[in-house]
C-alpha cells in the first residue's frame, strides 16, 4: 500500500473517530479525492472491528462509542467515590495539579473540596467548578469552545496550554485498559492531552474503576506500566493478573475505603 493511501485511510479513521460518523461525500470533499476512492478506502477500513458502513455513512461501531458524561457519572458511584477519597489522601494542601477530563477525575476533585491553596490546571469544567468554592484555590482553564454535554475543552490550543505549565501531580482517567496495559481513549485529542499532562507532572495518578479493564477504545495513549500510581476501586478479573502483578507496589485498591 502506498504511503499516500495509508495516510488517507488514517485521516478517514481520525475524522470518524472525532465525529462518531461521516458521510462518504463529506470525506471525499475534505480529503479532496473522488467518491469512488473514498468508497474503496471505506470498504477496506470496514473489514476491521472499529468502523462499519450504514446508508452512505461510515460510523464507529457501538463498542467504540463513548457514553454521555452524566451517564458515566452515575455508573459505579461508590467505587468512584472510594477512588476519589484514596487519591485525595495522597494530595496535600498547596499542591499544583493537572486534571484531565472524565467522571473519575471529577470524583477526585469532589474529594479534594476540603483542601486549601491548590493550583488546579484543567480543561475539565466540572473539576474547575467543584474546586472553585474554596477561595484559597487558584483555577486555571484554557480558552476554547466548551464541548457539550461533557463540559470540557479539547483541541490543539489545549495541548499548547498544558505545555506552558508544570505540576506536582497529574490526575487522569482513561476510556479503557487493554490486556497488554495499553491505555485507550475515544478521541486522539484526549490521548494527546493525557500524554502532555503526564509528561509535565512530577507524579502521575491514574484513577480507573475496574470496569475500564478490557474496555476497547480506538486511540492509543501509552501504557499502564509508565504510571507512578494506579488507583482503582477493586482489582479486575484474572485475565489482568499477569499485567498487574509486576506493578503491585504501584497499585492502590480503594474498595472498602469509603467513609
Amino acid at each position: 500500500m502506498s504511503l499516500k493511501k495509508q495516510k488517507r485511510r488514517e485521516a478517514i479513521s481520525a475524522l470518524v473517530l472525532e465525529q462518531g460518523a461521516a458521510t462518504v461525500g463529506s470525506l471525499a470533499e475534505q480529503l479532496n479525492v473522488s467518491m469512488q476512492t473514498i468508497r474503496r478506502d471505506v470498504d477496506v477500513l470496514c473489514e476491521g472491528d472499529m468502523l462499519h458502513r450504514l446508508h452512505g455513512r461510515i460510523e464507529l461501531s457501538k463498542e467504540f462509542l463513548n457514553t454521555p458524561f452524566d451517564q458515566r457519572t452515575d455508573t459505579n458511584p461508590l467505587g468512584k467515590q472510594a477512588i476519589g477519597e484514596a487519591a485525595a489522601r495522597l494530595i496535600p494542601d498547596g499542591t499544583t495539579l493537572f486534571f484531565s477530563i472524565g467522571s473519575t477525575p471529577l470524583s477526585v476533585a469532589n474529594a479534594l473540596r476540603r483542601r486549601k491553596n491548590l493550583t488546579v490546571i484543567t480543561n475539565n469544567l466540572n473539576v474547575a467548578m467543584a474546586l472553585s468554592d474554596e477561595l484559597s484555590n487558584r483555577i486555571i482553564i484554557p480558552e476554547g469552545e466548551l464541548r457539550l454535554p461533557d463540559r470540557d475543552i479539547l483541541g490543539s490550543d489545549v495541548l499548547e496550554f498544558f505545555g506552558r505549565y508544570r505540576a506536582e501531580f497529574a490526575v487522569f482517567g482513561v476510556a479503557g485498559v487493554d490486556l497488554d496495559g495499553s491505555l485507550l481513549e475515544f478521541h486522539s485529542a484526549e490521548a494527546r492531552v493525557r500524554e502532555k499532562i503526564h509528561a509535565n507532572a512530577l507524579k502521575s495518578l491514574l484513577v480507573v474503576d475496574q470496569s475500564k479493564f478490557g474496555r476497547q477504545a480506538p486511540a492509543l495513549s501509552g501504557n499502564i506500566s509508565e504510571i507512578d500510581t494506579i488507583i482503582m476501586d477493586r482489582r479486575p478479573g484474572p485475565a489482568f493478573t499477569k499485567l498487574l502483578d509486576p506493578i503491585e507496589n504501584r497499585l492502590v485498591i480503594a474498595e472498602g475505603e469509603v467513609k
Side-chain angles (χ1 to χ4, degrees):
M1 181 170 55
S2 70
L3 182 60
K4 183 177 180 181
K5 185 182 295 185
Q6 179 183 342
K7 287 186 175 180
R8 187 175 64 247
R9 291 178 181 174
E10 288 175 353
I12 291 170
S13 297
L15 285 167
V16 178
L17 176 60
E18 295 293 339
Q19 301 167 15
T23 65
V24 172
S26 68
L27 290 170
E29 183 177 350
Q30 290 181 74
L31 298 174
N32 196 28
V33 295
S34 69
M35 298 272 284
Q36 291 80 4
T37 296
I38 291 294
R39 287 193 183 100
R40 287 194 294 269
D41 289 335
V42 166
D43 287 341
V44 173
L45 290 170
C46 287
E47 291 175 357
D49 296 329
M50 187 174 79
L51 304 176
H52 70 276
R53 185 189 245 165
L54 181 67
H55 305 307
R57 292 159 58 86
I58 179 171
E59 300 181 346
L60 279 175
S61 299
K62 287 183 179 179
E63 59 266 33
F64 288 92
L65 286 170
N66 201 359
T67 52
F69 179 82
D70 289 339
Q71 183 178 331
R72 301 200 305 275
T73 301
D74 293 338
T75 301
N76 191 20
L78 290 179
K80 289 178 179 177
Q81 182 184 347
I83 291 169
E85 293 183 0
R89 282 192 278 276
L90 303 176
I91 299 169
D93 288 348
T95 301
T96 299
L97 301 140
F98 289 135
F99 267 97
S100 79
I101 65 175
S103 58
T104 311
L106 175 58
S107 297
V108 180
N110 286 331
L112 287 170
R113 288 176 185 268
R114 296 181 295 275
R115 294 288 186 274
K116 299 181 182 300
N117 297 307
L118 299 177
T119 297
V120 178
I121 304 162
T122 185
N123 60 330
N124 186 334
L125 189 62
N126 297 291
V127 164
M129 294 306 295
L131 292 169
S132 63
D133 289 340
E134 173 51 56
L135 297 183
S136 68
N137 290 341
R138 181 186 182 203
I139 313 291
I140 305 172
I141 59 176
E143 297 179 358
E145 181 177 349
L146 194 64
R147 185 175 65 157
L148 299 175
D150 286 16
R151 297 181 288 276
D152 55 42
I153 303 168
L154 288 176
S156 57
D157 290 343
V158 174
L159 199 61
E160 182 182 346
F161 162 79
F162 280 113
R164 296 199 297 267
Y165 295 95
R166 298 292 184 272
E168 293 161 84
F169 291 92
V171 180
F172 49 81
V174 290
V177 182
D178 213 343
L179 279 169
D180 65 355
S182 295
L183 303 178
L184 307 174
E185 299 288 359
F186 283 100
H187 299 283
S188 58
E190 294 173 352
R192 302 292 81 78
V193 167
R194 195 201 65 73
E195 290 171 351
K196 178 63 71 174
I197 67 174
H198 180 197
N200 285 5
L202 292 176
K203 188 175 182 63
S204 54
L205 302 182
L206 172 62
V207 291
V208 55
D209 73 84
Q210 63 86 29
S211 70
K212 300 295 179 64
F213 287 84
R215 187 186 188 201
Q216 292 299 303
L220 183 63
S221 179
N223 194 280
I224 198 170
S225 63
E226 301 162 355
I227 307 303
D228 295 314
T229 302
I230 302 101
I231 305 169
M232 61 185 77
D233 52 342
R234 59 186 186 274
R235 289 185 71 111
F240 287 90
T241 299
K242 189 175 293 186
L243 172 68
L244 296 179
D245 278 356
I247 57 172
E248 179 75 33
N249 63 328
R250 287 185 265 156
L251 302 181
V252 175
I253 309 301
E255 187 177 47
E257 295 191 11
V258 177
K259 305 300 183 185

